[in-house]
Amino acid sequence: MTATTAGRSRRPNGAAPTERRNRDSAVIAAAITVMSQKGYAATSIQEVADRVGVLKGSLYHYFRSKEELLFRILEESHEQVVEIEHEVAALDLSAFEELLEYVRRSSTWYLSNIDRANIFFSERNQLTGDRLTEAQAWGRAFEKHIAKLLTSAQTDGDVRSDMDQRLLTRFVLGALNNIRFWPSRSGKSFSNDEMAAALVSLTRSAIAAP
Amino acid sequence: MTATTAGRSRRPNGAAPTERRNRDSAVIAAAITVMSQKGYAATSIQEVADRVGVLKGSLYHYFRSKEELLFRILEESHEQVVEIEHEVAALDLSAFEELLEYVRRSSTWYLSNIDRANIFFSERNQLTGDRLTEAQAWGRAFEKHIAKLLTSAQTDGDVRSDMDQRLLTRFVLGALNNIRFWPSRSGKSFSNDEMAAALVSLTRSAIAAP
């Protein structure tokens, strides 16, 4: 989870790097809590500051605006999912198994970070200008990664070839993005691992070559 | 699509029934357009009235508040999906085939009514009191219908028995609810029928008994 250079340069020069990172994390955690309860529009910087236990003015040393705070939350989420992508790629699996392992780990991440994931999906379009453009590109990169693995797995003969890769991508992406709603459904509770394993097993059966 | 008695009783006595129904439809269509563009919170009754070409005051003869208007949109959507449920039940198919036909027709409905479907999923929790309770019950009834068909299909031996019905329900419901995002994904456009057929084929493979 590396912060971008752009993000770093906005921070005050006085504090030691570790102290700054801890403060950033505390502010981001507080903002996630407030935004997921009230929505981005109704969230005030004052409330985030109160929750961290600092003055509003001092919070502006770390984040210049509410929008920058939202951007950092989404950027961090994106970085964490990209890290999963790299970890799974390093396992050197077939494209089909890499895709399924990526689905398993990403869905476990969603389930362990539901507030973050909800903010990513619900509030992304509250960004403006370059920040909006960048956040939209993250969504497209996520989709492209899945599309690339599906295409390779089709070429390998592991994924059904009777259906256009773009329809397969929509289905896999949709099922994955939807797992954040699974815990709130009625009926018995399941562990995150049980839910992720079920998603992987169903996805495998859905798309595997006969 | 029958209007509820509660809805009817709120309308003025002067107008003929057909005229009233047409006016209701025009108001609801206008409200769907405005709400899907701006979101419920930012929608004003004035804008809806302008779009219908009536005075704001006369619109209040039909809908007493913005919330009532939202409720009617959701209620109509719910009624249309329940009608699909009844139509499919009348086909007298096996539980498995009934489920898949229900997925096909519901997903086609979502795709043909994307603005409506988006409002249903995004704005439902803007309702308050009894209206909120009722709208939440519609969501649960939809889930229960799918759960019931899955349980029967498991008993018939048509659906895999190695997975808890509640996990199967979450998956099928999630994939179905997500189809409203398929048209906005990058890449080639597909017809509604092509997308619905792909969803059904993938769902069938995912959950069928081996």
Side-chain angles (χ1 to χ4, degrees):
Chain A
M1 262 59 69
T2 53
T4 62
T5 314
R8 283 257 163 87
S9 69
R10 288 183 205 117
R11 283 158 210 161
N13 291 320
T18 310
E19 191 187 318
R20 258 187 263 155
R21 259 199 310 275
N22 292 346
R23 179 52 57 91
D24 271 23
S25 302
V27 172
I28 286 178
I32 288 171
T33 304
V34 178
M35 284 184 196
S36 64
Q37 281 166 8
K38 314 194 116 189
Y40 175 72
T43 293
S44 73
I45 287 284
Q46 182 66 62
E47 263 180 289
V48 176
D50 289 350
R51 187 169 273 270
V52 183
V54 298
L55 292 171
K56 185 173 161 183
S58 94
L59 199 141
Y60 279 117
H61 284 290
Y62 298 91
F63 298 96
R64 283 189 299 198
S65 64
K66 187 167 79 162
E67 186 178 326
E68 186 179 322
L69 193 45
L70 174 61
F71 181 77
R72 281 289 298 140
I73 293 171
L74 302 187
E75 187 182 45
E76 260 198 17
S77 307
H78 166 68
E79 286 164 358
Q80 290 174 19
V81 173
V82 167
E83 190 158 292
I84 292 173
E85 186 180 316
H86 293 159
E87 282 167 6
V88 175
L91 299 176
D92 208 21
L93 303 167
S94 70
F96 188 38
E97 295 304 331
E98 183 177 337
L99 173 69
L100 293 171
E101 183 60 18
Y102 182 62
V103 167
R104 192 180 69 73
R105 295 195 193 189
S106 308
S107 59
T108 305
W109 183 88
Y110 282 5
L111 291 166
S112 312
N113 296 275
I114 289 205
D115 287 343
R116 244 184 206 285
N118 285 339
I119 293 170
F120 192 88
F121 287 104
S122 310
E123 309 288 10
R124 188 170 40 181
N125 290 331
Q126 303 275 354
L127 294 174
T128 58
D130 289 349
R131 289 197 186 105
L132 177 62
T133 307
E134 194 166 348
Q136 287 171 335
W138 297 333
R140 279 197 304 279
F142 186 65
E143 183 179 343
K144 272 187 195 159
H145 180 62
I146 289 174
K148 189 193 71 182
L149 291 173
L150 277 167
T151 303
S152 299
Q154 266 187 331
T155 307
D156 293 346
D158 292 330
V159 161
R160 57 197 286 177
S161 54
D162 64 341
M163 192 173 287
D164 192 300
Q165 167 267 116
R166 288 158 293 203
L167 290 168
L168 294 168
T169 299
R170 283 161 167 85
F171 179 80
V172 171
L173 194 61
L176 173 56
N177 287 346
N178 200 277
I179 204 168
R180 67 201 172 94
F181 296 115
W182 286 28
S184 61
R185 298 277 172 224
S186 51
K188 187 192 161 207
S189 296
F190 297 91
S191 72
N192 291 354
D193 284 350
E194 280 174 314
M195 290 188 272
L199 178 67
V200 168
S201 169
L202 289 159
T203 303
R204 180 190 292 277
S205 301
I207 66 174
Chain B
M1 264 58 68
T2 54
T4 62
T5 314
R8 282 259 162 85
S9 68
R10 288 184 205 118
R11 284 155 210 166
N13 292 321
T18 310
E19 192 188 319
R20 258 188 266 156
R21 260 200 308 277
N22 291 347
R23 178 53 57 89
D24 271 23
S25 303
V27 173
I28 286 178
I32 289 171
T33 304
V34 178
M35 284 184 197
S36 63
Q37 280 166 7
K38 313 193 118 189
Y40 175 73
T43 293
S44 72
I45 289 285
Q46 183 64 63
E47 263 180 291
V48 176
D50 288 349
R51 186 169 275 268
V52 183
V54 299
L55 291 171
K56 185 173 161 183
S58 94
L59 199 141
Y60 279 117
H61 285 291
Y62 298 91
F63 298 95
R64 283 188 299 198
S65 64
K66 187 168 81 164
E67 186 177 327
E68 185 178 323
L69 192 44
L70 174 61
F71 181 77
R72 281 289 297 139
I73 294 171
L74 301 187
E75 187 181 43
E76 260 198 19
S77 306
H78 166 69
E79 286 163 359
Q80 291 175 19
V81 172
V82 167
E83 191 158 290
I84 292 173
E85 185 179 316
H86 294 156
E87 283 166 7
V88 175
L91 299 176
D92 208 22
L93 302 167
S94 69
F96 189 38
E97 295 304 329
E98 184 177 336
L99 173 69
L100 293 170
E101 184 60 17
Y102 181 61
V103 167
R104 192 181 69 75
R105 294 195 194 190
S106 308
S107 59
T108 305
W109 183 88
Y110 283 4
L111 291 166
S112 312
N113 296 276
I114 288 206
D115 287 344
R116 244 184 206 287
N118 285 339
I119 291 171
F120 191 88
F121 287 103
S122 310
E123 309 288 10
R124 187 170 40 180
N125 289 330
Q126 303 275 352
L127 294 173
T128 59
D130 289 349
R131 290 196 186 105
L132 177 61
T133 306
E134 193 167 349
Q136 286 171 335
W138 298 332
R140 278 196 304 276
F142 186 67
E143 182 178 342
K144 271 187 196 159
H145 181 63
I146 289 175
K148 189 192 70 181
L149 291 173
L150 276 167
T151 302
S152 300
Q154 266 187 332
T155 306
D156 293 346
D158 291 331
V159 160
R160 55 195 287 177
S161 55
D162 64 340
M163 194 174 287
D164 192 299
Q165 167 267 115
R166 289 159 290 203
L167 289 168
L168 293 169
T169 299
R170 284 161 166 85
F171 180 80
V172 171
L173 193 62
L176 172 55
N177 286 347
N178 199 277
I179 204 169
R180 66 200 172 94
F181 297 114
W182 287 29
S184 61
R185 298 276 173 227
S186 50
K188 188 191 162 209
S189 296
F190 298 91
S191 72
N192 291 353
D193 285 350
E194 282 174 313
M195 289 186 275
L199 178 67
V200 168
S201 169
L202 289 159
T203 302
R204 179 190 293 277
S205 302
I207 66 174

